[in-house]
Amino acid sequence: MRIGALGQVTGVDPETIRYYERIGLLPAPTRRANGYRAYGPAHLERLAFIRHCRALDMPLADVQRLLHLLDHPLDDCQDVDRLIDTHLAHVQGRLQSLQALARQLEQLRGRCHGQHATAECGILHELVAAAQGESCICHGSSVQAPLKDMRRPVSQIG
């Protein structure tokens, strides 16, 4: 099959397929007489494997390591276990960070209710205060403004 068909079947953009070839995740296909790439079932299977790993948010280096292990079926499976354990720990850390972010946004959202002019918006007041290095509701403590000595109202920055 040609690259467009492979892309349609797997849901991977042809440019991404070419990139995977360049970095060695996907073996180079044979070329037809007209110069078009000709992909076979092995390419389809490998690309589907890569896509599934990427859907699990695995970095390309991890996908490459898994493909190496897949290509060497007599290697120790503990490498696969360690890789997945490391990725799981990373995902769990991200979840904790996202939950903390959600709590901060909920606190910020609680600063403004109802309809009124933006000059009275508690959310905007909190964001401006934090940008100026003052304490904010979402972080609880003072946030250092990058250029504290050069303060001017956010509305004047353009």
Side-chain angles (χ1 to χ4, degrees), residues 10-147:
T10 59
V12 177
D13 185 80
E15 284 301 314
T16 303
I17 295 170
R18 288 185 194 99
Y19 175 70
Y20 290 163
E21 288 175 28
R22 278 194 306 274
I23 65 171
L25 289 180
L26 200 60
T30 58
R31 296 279 183 160
R32 293 184 179 161
N34 61 7
Y36 288 125
R37 292 171 169 93
Y39 296 92
H43 290 99
L44 177 62
E45 184 178 317
R46 193 165 180 100
L47 187 57
F49 179 88
I50 294 167
R51 185 166 186 327
H52 185 77
C53 290
R54 295 295 288 153
L56 293 170
D57 202 30
M58 290 183 186
L60 287 177
D62 288 356
V63 175
Q64 190 166 32
R65 181 70 183 139
L66 289 171
L67 286 168
H68 173 81
L69 293 165
L70 193 61
D71 292 340
H72 297 89
L74 299 178
D75 284 1
D76 190 350
C77 183
Q78 287 182 345
D79 286 347
V80 176
D81 295 344
R82 280 190 289 270
L83 189 142
I84 294 300
D85 289 343
T86 300
H87 187 58
L88 179 59
H90 174 73
V91 169
Q92 289 170 335
R94 285 180 39 209
L95 280 171
Q96 289 174 351
S97 294
L98 287 171
Q99 289 168 341
L101 176 60
R103 287 189 298 274
Q104 290 172 337
L105 290 170
E106 287 168 356
Q107 290 173 335
L108 189 59
R109 180 62 183 99
R111 300 299 289 176
C112 188
H113 300 286
Q115 293 181 329
H116 47 267
T118 56
E120 301 301 319
C121 179
I123 295 172
L124 290 176
H125 286 282
E126 289 292 332
L127 293 173
V128 169
Q132 294 176 344
E134 299 172 15
S135 180
C136 66
I137 191 82
C138 52
H139 289 95
S141 61
S142 180
V143 176
Q144 295 298 319
L147 302 172

